[in-house]
Amino acid sequence: MTAAKKQTKPRGSVQDFSAAAECLKTLAHPVRLRIVQMLLHGRYTVGELAADCEIPDNVGSEHLRLLQRCGFLDSQREGRRVYYSVAEPHLSQLMACIEGRFLTE
C-alpha cells in the first residue's frame, strides 16, 4: 500500500482575497463587462463607450471611474479627449473565460 501524497494548500487566506472580491464585484455588471471587452480591443473615449453601451455619457464616466479605481483601466488625455485603455493584463484571460462560457455564436 502506498502512502497518500500530502496535499499542499495554495497560498493565501480569506483575508487576502478581500480586495479581489471587491474588484470582481465591480466587474460584475453588464455595462462594465462590455466596456472591458471593448477596451481589450482598442482605446475608446467615454462618448464612444457610452454610445456602444446605449447609456448617457455621465453614466459611462461613472462606470469608467469604478473600473479605474480597481486599477483595471488607464486614461490618457489627447487634447480635449480622454482615451481609456486596459491597465490590467490579466483581464484578457478573465474576459476570454466569460466570453467562452456566456457568449454563443
Side-chain angles (χ1 to χ4, degrees):
M1 182 179 263
T2 61
K5 274 185 151 180
K6 182 176 166 122
Q7 293 183 9
T8 58
K9 291 191 327 184
R11 64 188 173 111
S13 67
V14 171
Q15 293 80 18
D16 293 330
F17 287 103
S18 178
E22 286 304 311
C23 286
L24 287 170
K25 284 182 204 176
T26 299
L27 274 178
H29 189 284
V31 168
R32 291 191 283 269
L33 286 171
R34 176 60 178 171
I35 287 172
V36 168
Q37 182 189 43
M38 294 280 296
L39 292 174
L40 285 168
H41 293 276
R43 299 179 332 143
Y44 292 94
T45 64
V46 173
E48 292 167 332
L49 293 165
D52 179 82
C53 294
E54 300 176 353
I55 57 174
D57 286 6
N58 65 320
V59 174
S61 291
E62 180 63 16
H63 286 296
L64 289 164
R65 185 186 67 75
L66 292 170
L67 290 165
Q68 272 191 301
R69 192 174 68 196
C70 283
F72 291 140
L73 305 182
D74 277 332
S75 60
Q76 182 177 11
R77 179 172 293 282
E78 292 182 13
R80 294 180 59 198
R81 293 194 171 158
V82 177
Y83 288 91
Y84 291 85
S85 60
V86 171
E88 172 52 65
H90 294 99
L91 278 179
S92 61
Q93 294 168 305
L94 185 57
M95 188 54 67
C97 178
I98 293 166
E99 289 173 345
R101 172 67 172 84
F102 296 100
L103 296 186
T104 57
E105 299 273 345

XYZ file of all heavy atoms in Angstrom:
823
model
N 0.845 -1.168 0.000
C 0.000 0.000 0.000
C 0.897 1.239 0.000
O 1.814 1.336 0.775
C -0.876 -0.037 1.259
C -1.834 1.116 1.339
S -2.858 1.015 2.816
C -4.289 0.277 2.125
N 0.593 2.186 -0.872
C 1.412 3.394 -0.950
C 0.842 4.462 -0.045
O -0.352 4.534 0.195
C 1.461 3.935 -2.398
O 0.140 4.267 -2.796
C 2.050 2.917 -3.346
N 1.740 5.261 0.467
C 1.320 6.364 1.334
C 0.633 7.437 0.499
O 1.035 7.700 -0.630
C 2.528 6.943 2.055
N -0.391 8.022 1.051
C -1.107 9.094 0.348
C -0.189 10.301 0.199
O 0.573 10.629 1.102
C -2.362 9.482 1.122
N -0.283 10.944 -0.967
C 0.504 12.150 -1.190
C -0.029 13.275 -0.314
O -1.227 13.462 -0.204
C 0.393 12.590 -2.652
C 1.348 11.950 -3.577
C 1.180 12.603 -4.929
C 2.465 12.557 -5.697
N 2.328 13.171 -7.004
N 0.883 13.978 0.288
C 0.470 15.126 1.097
C 0.108 16.277 0.155
O 0.881 16.636 -0.723
C 1.601 15.545 2.029
C 1.205 16.700 2.911
C 2.290 17.038 3.896
C 1.969 18.362 4.459
N 1.806 18.589 5.756
N -1.073 16.809 0.353
C -1.517 17.926 -0.476
C -0.941 19.221 0.068
O -0.867 19.421 1.273
C -3.033 18.027 -0.473
C -3.699 16.872 -1.153
C -5.216 17.059 -1.188
O -5.735 18.104 -0.863
N -5.898 16.018 -1.595
N -0.548 20.085 -0.850
C -0.078 21.403 -0.424
C -1.208 22.399 -0.670
O -1.816 22.408 -1.740
C 1.174 21.834 -1.198
O 0.874 21.830 -2.585
C 2.336 20.906 -0.919
N -1.474 23.180 0.332
C -2.520 24.186 0.200
C -2.006 25.333 -0.661
O -0.845 25.698 -0.573
C -2.918 24.726 1.570
C -3.628 23.732 2.435
C -4.259 24.327 3.693
C -3.577 25.476 4.324
N -4.183 25.940 5.572
N -2.896 25.925 -1.460
C -2.473 27.110 -2.215
C -2.228 28.266 -1.260
O -2.800 28.323 -0.168
C -3.653 27.394 -3.139
C -4.801 26.637 -2.578
C -4.262 25.541 -1.717
N -1.375 29.177 -1.675
C -1.055 30.315 -0.809
C -2.266 31.232 -0.676
O -3.142 31.239 -1.514
C 0.154 31.071 -1.334
C -0.043 31.707 -2.672
C 1.271 32.280 -3.207
N 1.087 32.730 -4.557
C 1.103 34.000 -4.920
N 1.338 34.931 -4.042
N 0.916 34.330 -6.176
N -2.270 32.009 0.377
C -3.331 32.983 0.594
C -4.299 32.560 1.679
O -4.303 31.424 2.144
N -5.106 33.525 2.089
C -6.140 33.294 3.086
C -7.392 34.044 2.646
O -7.371 34.810 1.686
C -5.677 33.811 4.446
O -5.565 35.227 4.406
N -8.467 33.845 3.365
C -9.710 34.542 3.044
C -9.477 36.058 3.035
O -9.938 36.761 2.132
C -10.822 34.155 4.045
C -12.047 35.033 3.869
C -11.181 32.690 3.885
N -8.731 36.556 4.018
C -8.476 37.995 4.095
C -7.694 38.490 2.872
O -7.899 39.611 2.418
C -7.703 38.345 5.382
C -8.497 38.136 6.649
C -8.545 36.661 7.094
O -7.736 35.845 6.661
N -9.502 36.335 7.934
N -6.810 37.652 2.352
C -6.019 38.041 1.184
C -6.893 38.269 -0.049
O -6.490 38.964 -0.971
C -4.965 36.980 0.863
C -3.905 36.869 1.936
O -3.614 37.876 2.601
O -3.369 35.758 2.108
N -8.068 37.664 -0.075
C -8.950 37.774 -1.236
C -9.959 38.912 -1.122
O -10.792 39.087 -2.006
C -9.671 36.446 -1.485
C -8.759 35.387 -2.047
C -8.285 34.376 -1.240
C -8.356 35.426 -3.371
C -7.434 33.408 -1.740
C -7.506 34.469 -3.879
C -7.041 33.457 -3.071
N -9.867 39.692 -0.085
C -10.818 40.776 0.131
C -10.804 41.799 -1.017
O -11.853 42.152 -1.555
C -10.514 41.467 1.450
O -11.392 42.533 1.655
N -9.636 42.280 -1.387
C -9.536 43.264 -2.483
C -9.976 42.647 -3.804
O -10.649 43.299 -4.612
C -8.113 43.799 -2.588
N -9.621 41.378 -4.014
C -10.022 40.700 -5.251
C -11.548 40.620 -5.337
O -12.136 40.873 -6.398
C -9.418 39.303 -5.311
N -12.189 40.287 -4.226
C -13.646 40.186 -4.209
C -14.291 41.535 -4.520
O -15.262 41.605 -5.281
C -14.120 39.655 -2.854
N -13.752 42.606 -3.961
C -14.299 43.939 -4.228
C -14.180 44.299 -5.704
O -15.102 44.843 -6.298
C -13.622 44.992 -3.352
C -14.059 44.954 -1.911
C -15.568 45.092 -1.730
O -16.164 46.015 -2.329
O -16.152 44.277 -1.003
N -13.033 44.012 -6.293
C -12.843 44.330 -7.711
C -13.698 43.436 -8.606
O -14.217 43.889 -9.632
C -11.363 44.241 -8.082
S -10.418 45.638 -7.430
N -13.878 42.193 -8.225
C -14.751 41.312 -9.007
C -16.204 41.775 -8.916
O -16.943 41.690 -9.900
C -14.603 39.858 -8.562
C -13.297 39.200 -8.985
C -13.132 37.850 -8.301
C -13.208 39.062 -10.499
N -16.601 42.304 -7.775
C -17.945 42.885 -7.652
C -18.091 44.052 -8.621
O -19.149 44.250 -9.215
C -18.202 43.369 -6.223
C -18.482 42.277 -5.232
C -18.769 42.920 -3.868
C -18.491 41.982 -2.741
N -18.668 42.627 -1.425
N -17.040 44.837 -8.733
C -17.073 45.977 -9.663
C -17.239 45.496 -11.096
O -17.999 46.073 -11.872
C -15.794 46.826 -9.522
O -15.730 47.335 -8.200
C -15.757 47.969 -10.508
N -16.559 44.438 -11.464
C -16.678 43.892 -12.818
C -18.041 43.270 -13.082
O -18.472 43.186 -14.225
C -15.610 42.814 -13.049
C -14.250 43.245 -13.518
C -13.342 42.035 -13.643
C -14.310 44.004 -14.826
N -18.715 42.836 -12.039
C -19.954 42.076 -12.164
C -21.136 42.961 -12.541
O -22.136 43.040 -11.836
C -20.228 41.307 -10.877
N -21.025 43.637 -13.663
C -22.090 44.491 -14.191
C -22.018 44.392 -15.708
O -20.926 44.490 -16.279
C -21.869 45.935 -13.719
C -23.008 46.831 -14.029
N -23.238 47.314 -15.295
C -24.003 47.318 -13.241
C -24.310 48.072 -15.274
N -24.796 48.094 -14.033
N -23.146 44.200 -16.383
C -23.095 44.004 -17.842
C -22.433 45.151 -18.606
O -21.683 44.908 -19.555
C -24.553 43.833 -18.258
C -25.364 43.895 -17.028
C -24.475 44.096 -15.845
N -22.688 46.386 -18.198
C -22.079 47.530 -18.890
C -20.568 47.519 -18.690
O -19.799 47.711 -19.634
C -22.699 48.865 -18.418
C -21.881 50.057 -18.912
C -24.143 48.973 -18.878
N -20.115 47.258 -17.469
C -18.678 47.266 -17.209
C -17.985 46.101 -17.907
O -16.861 46.253 -18.405
C -18.417 47.285 -15.707
C -18.839 48.620 -15.099
C -18.383 48.808 -13.689
N -19.147 48.100 -12.695
C -20.206 48.581 -12.062
N -20.661 49.793 -12.342
N -20.820 47.871 -11.143
N -18.640 44.963 -17.994
C -18.055 43.844 -18.749
C -17.921 44.212 -20.222
O -16.905 43.918 -20.851
C -18.898 42.579 -18.580
C -18.779 41.893 -17.223
C -19.820 40.783 -17.101
C -17.378 41.339 -17.000
N -18.930 44.860 -20.781
C -18.863 45.272 -22.191
C -17.763 46.325 -22.389
O -17.016 46.268 -23.374
C -20.214 45.817 -22.652
C -20.221 46.350 -24.066
C -19.851 45.300 -25.090
N -19.942 45.902 -26.427
C -19.532 45.322 -27.534
N -19.021 44.102 -27.487
N -19.635 45.936 -28.683
N -17.639 47.252 -21.445
C -16.581 48.269 -21.545
C -15.211 47.598 -21.555
O -14.360 47.920 -22.390
C -16.699 49.296 -20.392
C -17.890 50.222 -20.636
C -15.408 50.093 -20.232
C -18.223 51.149 -19.467
N -14.997 46.661 -20.646
C -13.713 45.943 -20.610
C -13.491 45.197 -21.915
O -12.403 45.241 -22.494
C -13.646 44.983 -19.397
C -12.465 44.035 -19.514
C -13.567 45.782 -18.102
N -14.526 44.529 -22.403
C -14.403 43.798 -23.666
C -13.992 44.746 -24.793
O -13.086 44.442 -25.571
C -15.725 43.118 -24.003
C -15.659 42.296 -25.280
C -17.022 41.809 -25.706
O -17.992 42.560 -25.665
N -17.087 40.553 -26.118
N -14.646 45.897 -24.872
C -14.308 46.878 -25.908
C -12.861 47.352 -25.758
O -12.116 47.404 -26.739
C -15.245 48.091 -25.818
C -16.688 47.813 -26.137
S -17.011 47.750 -27.890
C -16.638 49.423 -28.376
N -12.466 47.672 -24.532
C -11.131 48.220 -24.306
C -10.028 47.192 -24.514
O -8.881 47.564 -24.762
C -11.042 48.844 -22.912
C -11.895 50.101 -22.724
C -11.867 50.564 -21.288
C -11.442 51.210 -23.665
N -10.351 45.929 -24.441
C -9.359 44.893 -24.762
C -9.047 44.867 -26.257
O -8.068 44.275 -26.680
C -9.834 43.519 -24.289
C -9.733 43.293 -22.781
C -10.492 42.044 -22.375
C -8.267 43.197 -22.350
N -9.886 45.552 -27.042
C -9.687 45.587 -28.497
C -9.259 46.955 -29.000
O -9.108 47.147 -30.210
C -10.970 45.130 -29.198
C -11.277 43.690 -28.943
N -10.722 42.662 -29.678
C -12.045 43.100 -28.004
C -11.140 41.508 -29.206
N -11.949 41.746 -28.200
N -9.059 47.928 -28.099
C -8.608 49.243 -28.545
C -8.878 50.317 -27.495
O -9.423 50.045 -26.434
N -8.479 51.540 -27.840
C -8.698 52.688 -26.956
C -9.993 53.382 -27.368
O -10.272 53.516 -28.556
C -7.573 53.707 -27.099
C -6.224 53.212 -26.755
C -5.143 54.273 -26.929
N -5.433 55.285 -27.951
C -5.124 56.564 -27.858
N -4.487 57.010 -26.807
N -5.404 57.410 -28.811
N -10.739 53.822 -26.375
C -12.002 54.496 -26.653
C -12.202 55.659 -25.696
O -11.675 55.649 -24.586
C -13.186 53.525 -26.501
C -13.224 52.447 -27.545
C -12.638 51.207 -27.310
C -13.840 52.666 -28.769
C -12.669 50.212 -28.259
C -13.877 51.663 -29.732
C -13.294 50.445 -29.468
O -13.318 49.457 -30.429
N -13.007 56.622 -26.124
C -13.404 57.736 -25.272
C -14.677 57.347 -24.513
O -15.344 56.365 -24.855
C -13.703 59.002 -26.093
O -14.830 58.739 -26.939
C -12.494 59.433 -26.920
N -15.016 58.154 -23.520
C -16.256 57.934 -22.776
C -17.443 57.920 -23.734
O -18.303 57.038 -23.659
C -16.474 59.039 -21.708
C -17.829 58.897 -21.057
C -15.388 59.022 -20.683
N -17.482 58.896 -24.616
C -18.604 59.000 -25.552
C -18.751 57.777 -26.440
O -19.870 57.309 -26.684
N -17.635 57.265 -26.922
C -17.677 56.076 -27.790
C -18.178 54.856 -27.017
O -18.994 54.076 -27.519
C -16.290 55.798 -28.380
C -15.836 56.852 -29.366
C -14.358 56.755 -29.720
O -13.555 56.275 -28.885
O -14.007 57.171 -30.841
N -17.671 54.686 -25.803
C -18.088 53.553 -24.982
C -19.555 53.679 -24.578
O -20.308 52.704 -24.623
C -17.200 53.439 -23.744
C -15.741 53.054 -24.030
C -14.875 53.311 -22.815
C -15.643 51.601 -24.473
N -19.963 54.884 -24.191
C -21.354 55.108 -23.791
C -22.304 54.847 -24.955
O -23.358 54.227 -24.775
C -21.525 56.528 -23.259
N -21.920 55.291 -26.147
C -22.768 55.056 -27.320
C -22.920 53.561 -27.587
O -24.025 53.082 -27.859
C -22.177 55.760 -28.547
N -21.832 52.826 -27.503
C -21.893 51.387 -27.734
C -22.788 50.702 -26.696
O -23.528 49.785 -27.021
C -20.493 50.764 -27.684
C -20.540 49.269 -27.892
O -20.607 48.838 -29.060
O -20.555 48.524 -26.884
N -22.711 51.160 -25.447
C -23.484 50.553 -24.352
C -24.897 51.126 -24.242
O -25.684 50.686 -23.398
C -22.749 50.740 -23.028
S -21.181 49.860 -22.939
N -25.196 52.129 -25.072
C -26.502 52.782 -25.083
C -26.861 53.375 -23.718
O -27.952 53.167 -23.188
C -27.589 51.815 -25.576
C -27.319 51.315 -26.983
C -28.324 50.288 -27.482
O -29.189 49.834 -26.689
O -28.239 49.931 -28.657
N -25.898 54.106 -23.164
C -26.082 54.792 -21.887
C -25.624 56.241 -22.047
O -24.845 56.548 -22.952
C -25.276 54.112 -20.744
C -23.780 54.049 -21.092
C -25.840 52.725 -20.434
C -22.880 53.522 -19.980
N -26.081 57.140 -21.176
C -25.598 58.530 -21.235
C -24.104 58.607 -20.895
O -23.580 57.763 -20.153
C -26.430 59.249 -20.164
C -27.580 58.349 -19.858
C -27.129 56.958 -20.173
N -23.443 59.628 -21.414
C -22.008 59.813 -21.159
C -21.676 59.877 -19.668
O -20.680 59.310 -19.230
C -21.498 61.096 -21.829
C -21.373 60.957 -23.347
O -21.774 59.913 -23.896
O -20.864 61.909 -23.971
N -22.512 60.570 -18.878
C -22.204 60.700 -17.451
C -22.284 59.346 -16.737
O -21.514 59.086 -15.810
C -23.099 61.741 -16.772
C -24.559 61.343 -16.762
O -25.085 60.809 -17.737
N -25.229 61.619 -15.668
N -23.152 58.473 -17.175
C -23.237 57.129 -16.604
C -22.005 56.317 -17.025
O -21.411 55.599 -16.220
C -24.550 56.424 -17.024
C -24.582 54.975 -16.546
C -25.754 57.197 -16.494
N -21.600 56.483 -18.275
C -20.386 55.827 -18.754
C -19.166 56.278 -17.957
O -18.307 55.469 -17.610
N -19.100 57.566 -17.651
C -17.983 58.098 -16.860
C -17.924 57.453 -15.484
O -16.840 57.156 -14.976
C -18.112 59.611 -16.697
O -17.896 60.254 -17.933
N -19.074 57.243 -14.877
C -19.115 56.618 -13.551
C -18.627 55.167 -13.617
O -17.859 54.722 -12.768
C -20.534 56.675 -12.983
C -20.674 56.048 -11.615
C -19.878 56.734 -10.526
O -19.425 57.879 -10.705
O -19.686 56.108 -9.467
N -19.039 54.438 -14.635
C -18.563 53.061 -14.806
C -17.040 53.038 -14.992
O -16.346 52.215 -14.385
C -19.243 52.390 -16.006
C -20.662 52.015 -15.766
N -21.048 51.084 -14.823
C -21.806 52.439 -16.355
C -22.367 50.946 -14.855
N -22.844 51.763 -15.774
N -16.529 53.948 -15.801
C -15.081 54.023 -16.023
C -14.332 54.374 -14.747
O -13.276 53.812 -14.463
C -14.771 55.036 -17.129
C -15.185 54.588 -18.527
C -15.203 55.773 -19.477
C -14.285 53.487 -19.039
N -14.895 55.277 -13.950
C -14.274 55.670 -12.684
C -14.158 54.459 -11.750
O -13.116 54.242 -11.129
C -15.083 56.777 -12.015
C -14.428 57.328 -10.748
C -15.323 58.317 -10.023
N -16.513 57.704 -9.475
C -16.532 56.938 -8.378
N -15.425 56.694 -7.720
N -17.666 56.417 -7.945
N -15.205 53.665 -11.671
C -15.180 52.480 -10.810
C -14.124 51.476 -11.281
O -13.402 50.890 -10.474
C -16.564 51.818 -10.776
C -17.649 52.616 -10.069
C -19.020 51.987 -10.316
C -17.360 52.717 -8.582
N -14.032 51.285 -12.588
C -13.042 50.353 -13.136
C -11.621 50.869 -12.922
O -10.705 50.092 -12.639
C -13.312 50.101 -14.622
C -14.573 49.288 -14.925
C -14.944 49.401 -16.402
C -14.383 47.837 -14.512
N -11.431 52.173 -13.033
C -10.105 52.757 -12.784
C -9.718 52.629 -11.323
O -8.555 52.382 -10.999
C -10.083 54.235 -13.191
C -9.719 54.458 -14.620
C -9.450 55.913 -14.903
O -10.310 56.764 -14.708
N -8.254 56.209 -15.366
N -10.670 52.795 -10.433
C -10.397 52.712 -9.002
C -9.836 51.340 -8.614
O -9.020 51.230 -7.712
C -11.663 53.017 -8.210
C -11.395 53.237 -6.735
C -12.624 53.672 -5.996
N -13.574 52.574 -5.966
C -14.858 52.696 -5.670
N -15.356 53.867 -5.401
N -15.644 51.645 -5.651
N -10.242 50.297 -9.330
C -9.716 48.946 -9.072
C -8.392 48.703 -9.795
O -7.811 47.625 -9.657
C -10.732 47.892 -9.509
S -12.085 47.706 -8.354
N -7.942 49.672 -10.578
C -6.685 49.511 -11.296
C -6.818 48.758 -12.605
O -5.819 48.335 -13.187
N -8.044 48.599 -13.079
C -8.264 47.873 -14.328
C -7.954 48.718 -15.561
O -7.595 48.181 -16.599
C -9.712 47.379 -14.432
C -10.065 46.293 -13.464
C -11.294 46.282 -12.843
C -9.183 45.263 -13.176
C -11.645 45.278 -11.956
C -9.516 44.256 -12.292
C -10.751 44.259 -11.680
N -8.120 50.035 -15.467
C -8.003 50.908 -16.638
C -7.004 52.032 -16.422
O -6.746 52.446 -15.303
C -9.358 51.541 -16.965
C -10.547 50.629 -17.171
C -11.782 51.450 -17.530
C -10.273 49.585 -18.227
N -6.483 52.519 -17.551
C -5.668 53.739 -17.602
C -6.413 54.743 -18.466
O -7.249 54.369 -19.302
C -4.318 53.466 -18.285
C -3.288 52.883 -17.344
O -3.364 53.145 -16.134
O -2.406 52.149 -17.830
N -6.083 56.003 -18.306
C -6.633 57.030 -19.188
C -5.497 57.926 -19.657
O -4.515 58.113 -18.947
C -7.704 57.850 -18.472
O -7.161 58.493 -17.350
N -5.674 58.444 -20.861
C -4.661 59.323 -21.439
C -5.366 60.459 -22.166
O -6.209 60.220 -23.043
C -3.780 58.536 -22.413
C -2.678 59.355 -23.018
C -1.788 58.513 -23.930
O -2.108 57.382 -24.271
N -0.672 59.080 -24.324
N -5.018 61.669 -21.782
C -5.618 62.847 -22.417
C -4.852 63.191 -23.684
O -3.629 63.229 -23.695
C -5.591 64.031 -21.448
C -6.183 65.302 -22.031
C -6.316 66.398 -21.018
N -7.286 66.111 -19.976
C -8.612 66.220 -20.114
N -9.112 66.608 -21.272
N -9.412 65.973 -19.114
N -5.604 63.428 -24.742
C -5.050 63.898 -26.010
C -5.892 65.081 -26.446
O -6.989 64.898 -26.980
C -5.052 62.787 -27.063
C -4.084 61.671 -26.747
C -4.048 60.598 -27.820
O -4.585 60.808 -28.936
O -3.483 59.531 -27.533
N -5.394 66.269 -26.189
C -6.177 67.469 -26.475
C -7.379 67.517 -25.554
O -7.249 67.439 -24.341
N -8.559 67.609 -26.156
C -9.786 67.672 -25.359
C -10.358 66.296 -25.063
O -11.315 66.174 -24.316
C -10.823 68.514 -26.101
C -10.398 69.971 -26.214
C -11.423 70.799 -26.939
N -12.714 70.734 -26.247
C -13.862 71.070 -26.801
N -13.903 71.469 -28.047
N -14.984 70.989 -26.112
N -9.800 65.276 -25.664
C -10.334 63.921 -25.484
C -9.516 63.118 -24.494
O -8.309 63.267 -24.400
C -10.349 63.185 -26.822
C -11.335 63.788 -27.781
C -11.560 62.867 -28.928
N -12.669 63.383 -29.714
C -12.874 63.102 -30.957
N -12.053 62.291 -31.577
N -13.898 63.593 -31.596
N -10.218 62.238 -23.776
C -9.566 61.310 -22.865
C -9.845 59.904 -23.390
O -10.997 59.530 -23.598
C -10.102 61.448 -21.416
C -9.464 60.414 -20.511
C -9.853 62.861 -20.897
N -8.775 59.173 -23.631
C -8.897 57.808 -24.120
C -8.619 56.824 -22.987
O -7.693 57.019 -22.203
C -7.908 57.557 -25.268
C -8.302 58.253 -26.532
C -7.847 59.546 -26.804
C -9.126 57.632 -27.450
C -8.215 60.201 -27.963
C -9.500 58.281 -28.626
C -9.044 59.560 -28.865
O -9.410 60.198 -30.018
N -9.414 55.790 -22.932
C -9.269 54.762 -21.903
C -8.695 53.500 -22.524
O -8.951 53.191 -23.692
C -10.623 54.464 -21.255
C -11.095 55.621 -20.425
C -11.787 56.675 -21.000
C -10.799 55.689 -19.071
C -12.190 57.770 -20.250
C -11.198 56.779 -18.310
C -11.890 57.812 -18.911
O -12.270 58.892 -18.162
N -7.900 52.782 -21.732
C -7.311 51.518 -22.167
C -7.172 50.602 -20.957
O -7.257 51.044 -19.813
C -5.945 51.752 -22.827
O -5.064 52.378 -21.907
N -6.956 49.329 -21.229
C -6.820 48.341 -20.163
C -5.432 48.436 -19.545
O -4.425 48.446 -20.255
C -7.082 46.921 -20.711
C -6.739 45.861 -19.680
C -8.537 46.788 -21.143
N -5.387 48.494 -18.226
C -4.115 48.550 -17.496
C -3.756 47.189 -16.900
O -2.587 46.907 -16.675
C -4.193 49.585 -16.374
N -4.756 46.360 -16.659
C -4.547 45.061 -16.013
C -4.508 43.964 -17.078
O -5.532 43.612 -17.651
C -5.682 44.787 -15.017
C -5.697 43.397 -14.430
C -4.368 42.979 -13.816
O -3.963 43.587 -12.825
O -3.743 42.050 -14.351
N -3.306 43.426 -17.364
C -3.190 42.453 -18.457
C -3.971 41.159 -18.223
O -4.357 40.504 -19.181
C -1.688 42.185 -18.544
C -1.117 42.653 -17.260
C -2.038 43.715 -16.722
N -4.246 40.812 -16.982
C -4.966 39.577 -16.698
C -6.448 39.648 -17.081
O -7.126 38.622 -17.130
C -4.832 39.201 -15.222
C -3.432 38.863 -14.848
N -2.603 39.765 -14.227
C -2.703 37.741 -15.032
C -1.424 39.202 -14.027
N -1.452 37.984 -14.510
N -6.949 40.844 -17.353
C -8.346 40.972 -17.756
C -8.641 40.224 -19.049
O -9.759 39.754 -19.240
C -8.727 42.448 -17.922
C -9.081 43.200 -16.655
C -9.408 44.655 -16.975
C -10.235 42.558 -15.927
N -7.649 40.095 -19.916
C -7.900 39.385 -21.179
C -8.224 37.918 -20.922
O -9.115 37.352 -21.568
C -6.720 39.521 -22.138
O -5.558 38.960 -21.566
N -7.541 37.301 -19.954
C -7.822 35.900 -19.625
C -9.198 35.765 -18.973
O -9.943 34.832 -19.278
C -6.754 35.349 -18.683
C -5.389 35.272 -19.327
C -4.312 35.007 -18.296
O -4.170 35.737 -17.323
N -3.547 33.948 -18.512
N -9.523 36.689 -18.097
C -10.819 36.663 -17.439
C -11.941 36.846 -18.457
O -12.946 36.133 -18.440
C -10.873 37.741 -16.362
C -12.111 37.786 -15.490
C -12.347 36.465 -14.777
C -11.980 38.904 -14.473
N -11.759 37.793 -19.370
C -12.777 38.044 -20.383
C -12.906 36.857 -21.336
O -14.011 36.517 -21.763
C -12.467 39.328 -21.156
C -13.581 39.746 -22.101
S -15.228 39.913 -21.357
C -14.986 41.289 -20.280
N -11.800 36.212 -21.661
C -11.859 35.023 -22.521
C -12.688 33.930 -21.860
O -13.493 33.247 -22.517
C -10.452 34.517 -22.834
N -12.538 33.769 -20.560
C -13.323 32.793 -19.803
C -14.808 33.155 -19.857
O -15.658 32.304 -20.118
C -12.817 32.736 -18.367
S -13.742 31.615 -17.308
N -15.121 34.415 -19.622
C -16.513 34.877 -19.634
C -17.122 34.711 -21.021
O -18.242 34.199 -21.173
C -16.601 36.340 -19.157
C -16.221 36.418 -17.678
C -17.982 36.927 -19.403
C -15.954 37.823 -17.180
N -16.394 35.142 -22.054
C -16.909 35.011 -23.421
C -17.115 33.546 -23.791
O -18.125 33.192 -24.407
C -15.947 35.672 -24.412
C -15.937 37.181 -24.332
C -14.866 37.833 -25.180
O -13.928 37.128 -25.630
O -14.972 39.040 -25.411
N -16.174 32.696 -23.423
C -16.297 31.279 -23.733
C -17.483 30.616 -23.062
O -18.108 29.712 -23.608
N -17.796 31.087 -21.882
C -18.903 30.496 -21.117
C -20.260 31.089 -21.471
O -21.269 30.391 -21.521
C -18.621 30.691 -19.621
C -19.731 30.327 -18.671
C -20.011 28.823 -18.671
N -20.939 28.451 -17.628
C -22.268 28.519 -17.743
N -22.817 28.974 -18.838
N -23.036 28.149 -16.742
N -20.328 32.404 -21.741
C -21.613 33.068 -21.859
C -21.976 33.600 -23.237
O -23.134 33.936 -23.462
C -21.717 34.205 -20.833
C -21.681 33.709 -19.419
C -20.510 33.774 -18.676
C -22.792 33.135 -18.838
C -20.468 33.292 -17.374
C -22.763 32.652 -17.547
C -21.601 32.736 -16.804
N -21.019 33.724 -24.137
C -21.334 34.197 -25.495
C -21.444 32.995 -26.419
O -20.519 32.198 -26.524
C -20.264 35.160 -26.012
C -20.098 36.480 -25.276
C -19.102 37.352 -26.010
C -21.413 37.208 -25.094
N -22.559 32.907 -27.078
C -22.747 31.816 -28.036
C -22.819 32.409 -29.421
O -23.312 33.513 -29.629
C -24.030 31.024 -27.739
O -25.140 31.919 -27.741
C -23.935 30.335 -26.382
N -22.329 31.680 -30.372
C -22.321 32.159 -31.771
C -23.668 31.980 -32.398
O -24.439 31.166 -32.139
C -21.269 31.383 -32.575
C -19.882 31.560 -32.044
C -19.155 32.766 -32.599
O -19.603 33.326 -33.601
O -18.149 33.157 -32.016
